[in-house]
Amino acid sequence: MASSSSSPTAMKEGDSSSSPTAMKEGEYVNWLELPRELTSSILIRLGAIEIVDNAQEVCRSWRHLCKDPSMWRRIVIHNPGEFGDPYYERLCRHTVDRSQGGLVEIEFSYFGSDSLLRYIADSSSKLRSLKVAVGYKITSEGLMDAVSKLPLLEELEVSYCPLSGDSLKVIGQSCPNLKTLKKNCEGYRRPRDESDDVALAIAETMSGLCHLQLFGDRLTDAGLNAILDGCPNLEHLDLRQCFNVNFVGDLEKRCFERIKVVRRPDDSVRDYPFSATVNDDDVCSSDDDYSDVDIMSEDEFYGDLSEDACDTSDFDPYDDYDDLLY
C-alpha cells in the first residue's frame, strides 16, 4: 500500500504542491526549463573546469549563462594532473576574462607564473582574496609586483611559493585592508636555519591582521614577539612546524592572553591541506658548507618557456561550436 505522503491527494494538501505546475507521479524535471536565477545558482557551485569543460556544452542557454560575468566573481582552479600542463594557465586567463573586471576571489594551485599573476592583477582591480599554492614558476618579485596592484586585498595566501621579507613588506604597505595572511612552507628542525625577515615585515606593515598562518616558517622568539607587538588585532595564529620558536613561559602566556586561537609548533597537522613533511636531515651539521653547491637556475629547470608563449587569454575550446548547440 502506498504511503500517504506519495499519494496525489496528500500532495495537494501542501501549499507548495497545490500549484498548477506541481509534478505528477512519473514526471521528470526538465532542467532546461528552470528559471534562469535557479540555474545560475546551481551552476555557480561548480568549479571553473566543470563549467568550461562540461556545463556550457549542454545547450545554448546554459552556454550563454556560463558566460555571464556574475558567474565568475569567484574562481577556483586546482591542477589535478601533471605540472607544466599549459591548459590550466590558459583556462585561468580565460575565466578572468569572463569576469570582465568583477573578480573578487581567486584560488589556484599546482600551476601559475609571474605572467599569470600580472594578468590577474591588471584585470581585477576589485580583487579581495588571492590564494596561490605550489606555483613553481612564480617568483617573490612576481608576487610583489602583482599584489601591490591590489589595494583592496583582504586575504592573501602564498603556500609553497617564494616570498621574501622585502617583498612581503611592499605587499603590506600596498594592501592596507589585509586581514588574513597565510604564508606556508616546508618545516625545518635544524636550529641554524633561522630567519625573522618575514616576521619583521609582517610586524612593520600589517597591523590590521586578524588571521595569520606561518606554517613551517623559520621565525624565532624575537620574530614572534615583534608580531605580537605590531599586530594588536590578531585573533588566530598558526605556528605549526615553526620549530625555532620556544613556545614556553612568558611567550606562551603572552600568546594565549592576547589571541583567541593559537596553534603551537608541535600541534597536529591532520587538518592541514598540504603535505606536512618535515625537513629533518640529521646528516647536516652546523659546520656544513654549501657555498660550492651548483644550484640549477629557474631558467635551466623550466627550459625555454617564455611568458608570451603562455598568453592565450582568448582561450575558449568551444567557441567554434556555438552554432551547433541547441
Side-chain angles (χ1 to χ4, degrees), residues 138-159:
I138 292 175
T139 68
S140 180
E141 292 76 13
L143 275 164
M144 177 187 67
D145 291 342
V147 178
S148 62
K149 299 177 183 179
L150 302 170
L152 300 182
L153 205 66
E154 298 175 0
E155 180 177 15
L156 174 64
E157 177 176 345
V158 181
S159 295

Side-chain angles (χ1 to χ4, degrees), residues 230-290:
C231 305
N233 300 319
L234 271 184
E235 297 178 0
H236 295 75
L237 177 63
D238 189 344
L239 297 173
R240 283 177 292 177
Q241 294 195 2
C242 295
F243 297 117
N244 294 329
V245 174
N246 297 307
F247 209 74
V248 294
D250 292 340
L251 184 56
E252 180 182 26
K253 180 180 179 182
R254 188 182 182 197
C255 285
F256 279 97
E257 286 179 346
R258 285 267 316 277
I259 303 172
K260 293 179 181 178
V261 179
V262 178
R263 307 294 293 272
R264 298 178 175 89
D266 289 309
D267 278 356
S268 171
V269 297
R270 183 172 299 177
D271 62 340
Y272 186 62
F274 303 103
S275 171
T277 302
V278 178
N279 190 323
D280 199 8
D281 191 351
D282 293 332
V283 176
C284 296
S285 69
S286 59
D287 297 325
D288 288 335
D289 183 3
Y290 294 96

Side-chain angles (χ1 to χ4, degrees), residues 89 93 113-119 137-139 142 145 298-299 303-313:
E89 182 149 343
R93 289 170 179 258
S113 64
D114 290 351
S115 175
L116 176 61
L117 286 171
R118 184 168 59 251
Y119 192 84
K137 291 183 65 180
I138 292 175
T139 68
D145 291 342
E298 184 175 285
D299 290 338
D304 185 16
L305 293 176
S306 65
E307 291 184 354
D308 292 338
C310 295
D311 188 1
T312 53
S313 56

Side-chain angles (χ1 to χ4, degrees), residues 87-303:
Y87 170 79
Y88 296 98
E89 182 149 343
R90 296 200 306 269
L91 173 64
C92 191
R93 289 170 179 258
H94 174 60
T95 55
V96 169
D97 289 341
R98 285 193 175 186
S99 73
Q100 296 184 14
L103 184 63
V104 176
E105 301 177 41
I106 188 166
E107 174 182 343
F108 60 92
S109 64
Y110 296 94
F111 71 94
S113 64
D114 290 351
S115 175
L116 176 61
L117 286 171
R118 184 168 59 251
Y119 192 84
I120 293 170
D122 290 341
S123 307
S124 312
S125 60
K126 298 179 181 179
L127 199 67
R128 284 175 167 77
S129 176
L130 172 64
K131 298 180 181 180
V132 184
V134 199
Y136 291 137
K137 291 183 65 180
I138 292 175
T139 68
S140 180
E141 292 76 13
L143 275 164
M144 177 187 67
D145 291 342
V147 178
S148 62
K149 299 177 183 179
L150 302 170
L152 300 182
L153 205 66
E154 298 175 0
E155 180 177 15
L156 174 64
E157 177 176 345
V158 181
S159 295
Y160 304 97
C161 299
L163 185 58
S164 69
D166 289 340
S167 295
L168 195 59
K169 186 179 296 186
V170 173
I171 289 173
Q173 293 167 343
S174 305
C175 303
N177 298 320
L178 205 61
K179 298 293 188 294
T180 298
L181 174 67
K182 296 182 179 181
K183 185 190 176 300
N184 303 320
C185 57
E186 183 180 7
Y188 284 79
R189 289 187 184 275
R190 287 175 289 173
R192 67 179 181 83
D193 196 14
E194 300 177 348
S195 174
D196 283 319
D197 291 349
V198 167
L200 295 177
I202 292 170
E204 183 178 337
T205 65
M206 301 183 184
S207 60
L209 281 184
C210 297
H211 304 266
L212 177 60
Q213 183 177 65
L214 292 176
F215 196 101
D217 194 80
R218 297 177 295 162
L219 82 163
T220 67
D221 294 3
L224 178 54
N225 273 306
I227 290 174
L228 295 175
D229 290 336
C231 305
N233 300 319
L234 271 184
E235 297 178 0
H236 295 75
L237 177 63
D238 189 344
L239 297 173
R240 283 177 292 177
Q241 294 195 2
C242 295
F243 297 117
N244 294 329
V245 174
N246 297 307
F247 209 74
V248 294
D250 292 340
L251 184 56
E252 180 182 26
K253 180 180 179 182
R254 188 182 182 197
C255 285
F256 279 97
E257 286 179 346
R258 285 267 316 277
I259 303 172
K260 293 179 181 178
V261 179
V262 178
R263 307 294 293 272
R264 298 178 175 89
D266 289 309
D267 278 356
S268 171
V269 297
R270 183 172 299 177
D271 62 340
Y272 186 62
F274 303 103
S275 171
T277 302
V278 178
N279 190 323
D280 199 8
D281 191 351
D282 293 332
V283 176
C284 296
S285 69
S286 59
D287 297 325
D288 288 335
D289 183 3
Y290 294 96
S291 59
D292 295 329
V293 175
D294 185 13
I295 303 298
M296 183 180 293
S297 71
E298 184 175 285
D299 290 338
E300 291 173 317
F301 183 79
Y302 288 109

Side-chain angles (χ1 to χ4, degrees), residues 26-37:
E27 289 184 341
Y28 297 93
V29 174
N30 185 343
W31 291 94
L32 302 183
E33 295 180 356
L34 291 175
R36 179 182 176 88
E37 295 76 12

